[in-house]
Amino acid sequence: MKEPNKLLSALTSQVGRKLLTGITGVLLVLFVISHLSGNLALLRSDSAPFNQYTQTLHSFGMLLIIVEIGLGLLILLHAYLGIAIMLRKRAARKQGYDVVASKGGPSRQSLSSRTMAVTGIILLIFLVIHIVQMRFGPNISQGYSTIINGQEVRDLHRLVLEVFSNIWWVAFYVGVMMMLGFHLRHGIWSALQSLAAMKPRYSTAIYSVAFLLAVLLAVGFLILPIWIYINHRGATV
Amino acid sequence: MSDTLMTIHLKVWRQDAPTQPGKFVQYTVPGVNPHMSFLEMFDLLNEQLSAKGEIPVEFDNDCREGICGSCSMVINGMPHGPQRGTAACQLHMRHFKDGDHVVVEPWRAAAFPMIRDLVVDRTSLDRIIAAGGYISTNTGAPPDANSLPVSKDDSDRAFDYAACIGCGACVAACPNASASLFTAAKIGHLALLPQGAPERKRRVINMVEQMEKEGFGDCSNHGECEAACPKEISISAIAMMRREYVKAVVGG
Ligand code: FES
């Protein structure tokens, strides 16, 4: 099984696809954790810590771009695998049931597990909007500049404050972050189940830890726009 | 427990042939004894239908003691009904109340083509077994006792997985119609025992490939299969199948 075409057919098999979904999912969760920890600088009333943080990221230059492209590919692969699962599922049961009920007990079926494709697609659309709005939003040349350590840098803090002084943007971000929580509620557990051969006796504990992590990440993110809206409304623009 | 006879209102899927459209038909079954199994209640219904000159409801069954895996019915949205660890033939009517409405449907999966009424063709599962769910062994005199040591832990787990009766409830319960639990139980059972060692690698590769060819869906770790399994086989089997797969690909 060492020839490349055999490896490829292994990766595209049902088990291979599941493992890839899990691996890309775990990497994306790690990204989400690091993204949130950086963004927590937005909780400070002073703009310097956040701009300092974004400036540090951008000082990596080419390396940052490579990481960004890598992340983009990761997201596309994860989304492709997820959509493929959804399409295959439709083909695998053409005629549905009149009544569907969960038998409970060890079942991990939930609204969250059944809506992975929907929440995933919402997150994908959100990402495009978010990247266009923030990453490719107004720059130094549009006057969004500030001085950090005697150097003129982009004032991303100002842009974030402006966006989140609009109640509709706040509502949009909060709503999408709840979808993120829903996606991760099943996703973190599912990735761990796919990648680690869990002993049944750990299963409940891991399911609970996955739930806690999903709640923490979603709440951590959605608190930022609300916080900014409450504290900075009227202070900018 | 009371022996008072009950009346059960059924809504059953009827379909004369794969090529003809099916529909739900309502039946009221009086005289249901609470000690009857779910299948015996169907026997009663069929007697009543025959007496009226109607065609009885076709359903699969054989052993009626929970070991052959042929009784396939989705009862009120749950394969084998609401009782955990029970096949439909062992589900007793005492779990229902007088006057209950019960919806009965066949297993629904593209890989389980309709035959008639509640009977579907589950030979796709047999083809997964044929792809690798066997061992090569010498026939002839039995080997000496204890010549093949197996640890207690391994033999217990292998036995848990070997308890699979191939009924297909995991597929029927899975929102994706995946056969992962069935396939994984067979792979896990044989991978844990020395007798399964010679074909260990090609077994997992071929069975996973066959599962895909048959048109079963992907596993999304919903875990509904474990809840529906009449033998309560854990989804740890699926985790084991994935590990076996990686070992076969990387180490092969
Ligand atoms: S009839 Fe054999 S398991 Fe139910």
Side-chain angles (χ1 to χ4, degrees), chain B residues 1-6 32-37 83 91-97:
Chain B
M1 184 168 310
S2 98
D3 287 347
T4 324
L5 299 185
M6 310 186 292
V32 177
N33 187 307
H35 300 307
M36 280 178 176
S37 72
Q83 183 85 351
L91 174 68
H92 288 92
M93 293 314 295
R94 55 177 171 266
H95 299 295
F96 296 87
K97 289 192 304 291

Side-chain angles (χ1 to χ4, degrees), chain A residues 193, chain B residues 125 161 164 169-171 174 178-188 211 219 223-239 241:
Chain A
Q193 169 66 20
Chain B
L125 297 182
Y161 297 156
C164 172
C170 45
V171 177
C174 178
S178 167
S180 289
L181 188 60
F182 167 80
T183 310
K186 301 294 175 189
I187 290 169
M211 165 169 91
C219 171
E224 192 61 40
C225 50
E226 179 177 338
C229 178
K231 300 296 155 188
E232 301 180 87
I233 296 174
S234 159
I235 54 167
S236 66
I238 300 178
M241 169 174 74

Side-chain angles (χ1 to χ4, degrees), chain B residues 181-240:
Chain B
L181 188 60
F182 167 80
T183 310
K186 301 294 175 189
I187 290 169
H189 156 214
L190 295 176
L192 283 161
L193 297 174
Q195 290 90 341
E199 297 92 357
R200 186 167 176 175
K201 284 174 179 164
R202 68 164 195 247
R203 174 183 303 119
V204 59
I205 305 251
N206 292 343
M207 288 178 77
V208 165
E209 193 182 303
Q210 191 63 34
M211 165 169 91
E212 173 123 35
K213 270 192 208 149
E214 297 292 346
F216 292 105
D218 292 82
C219 171
S220 287
N221 297 317
H222 291 288
E224 192 61 40
C225 50
E226 179 177 338
C229 178
K231 300 296 155 188
E232 301 180 87
I233 296 174
S234 159
I235 54 167
S236 66
I238 300 178
M240 182 168 181

Side-chain angles (χ1 to χ4, degrees), chain A residues 14-30:
Chain A
Q14 239 176 47
V15 170
R17 292 198 299 264
K18 196 72 231 175
L19 294 174
L20 279 181
T21 310
I23 293 167
T24 49
V26 166
L27 291 173
L28 290 173
V29 169
L30 294 179

Side-chain angles (χ1 to χ4, degrees), chain A residues 1-2 6-7 9-19 84-85 88-89 91-110 113-114 186 189-191 193-200 203, chain B residues 11 13 24 74 76-79 81-84 103 105-110 171-172 174-177 205 208 211-212 215-224 226-228 234-236 239 242-243 245-246 248-250 252:
Chain A
M1 287 297 294
K2 288 249 169 63
K6 290 240 175 108
L7 190 64
S9 73
L11 282 177
T12 54
S13 75
Q14 239 176 47
V15 170
R17 292 198 299 264
K18 196 72 231 175
L19 294 174
I85 289 175
R88 232 187 114 75
K89 149 191 185 152
R93 179 170 292 133
K94 295 192 186 84
Q95 172 147 24
Y97 292 107
D98 190 46
V99 185
V100 179
S102 172
K103 217 156 168 171
S107 174
R108 306 293 185 210
Q109 203 188 155
S110 63
S113 80
R114 282 191 304 268
H186 181 71
W189 138 263
S190 178
Q193 169 66 20
S194 288
L195 299 177
M198 277 188 260
K199 290 220 161 43
S203 170
Chain B
K11 184 176 152 192
W13 183 260
F24 282 102
V74 174
N76 282 341
M78 290 166 280
Q83 183 85 351
R84 286 207 53 225
V103 180
E105 301 173 72
W107 283 181
R108 297 280 190 205
V171 177
C174 178
N176 302 0
I205 305 251
V208 165
M211 165 169 91
E212 173 123 35
F216 292 105
D218 292 82
C219 171
S220 287
N221 297 317
H222 291 288
E224 192 61 40
E226 179 177 338
S234 159
I235 54 167
S236 66
R242 292 177 181 137
R243 230 178 353 163
Y245 194 85
V246 171
V249 171
V250 176

Side-chain angles (χ1 to χ4, degrees), chain B residues 39 60-72 80 87-90 165 167 230-231:
Chain B
L39 300 192
D60 230 346
N61 72 104
D62 187 14
C63 71
R64 298 212 175 187
E65 55 181 1
I67 54 167
C68 76
S70 61
C71 50
S72 42
H80 295 302
C89 58
Q90 299 239 292
I165 53 177
C167 65
K231 300 296 155 188

Side-chain angles (χ1 to χ4, degrees), chain B residues 146-161:
Chain B
N146 301 325
S147 64
L148 273 180
V150 182
S151 79
K152 170 83 172 120
D153 278 357
D154 286 348
S155 73
D156 283 353
R157 275 178 70 206
F159 189 81
D160 285 348
Y161 297 156

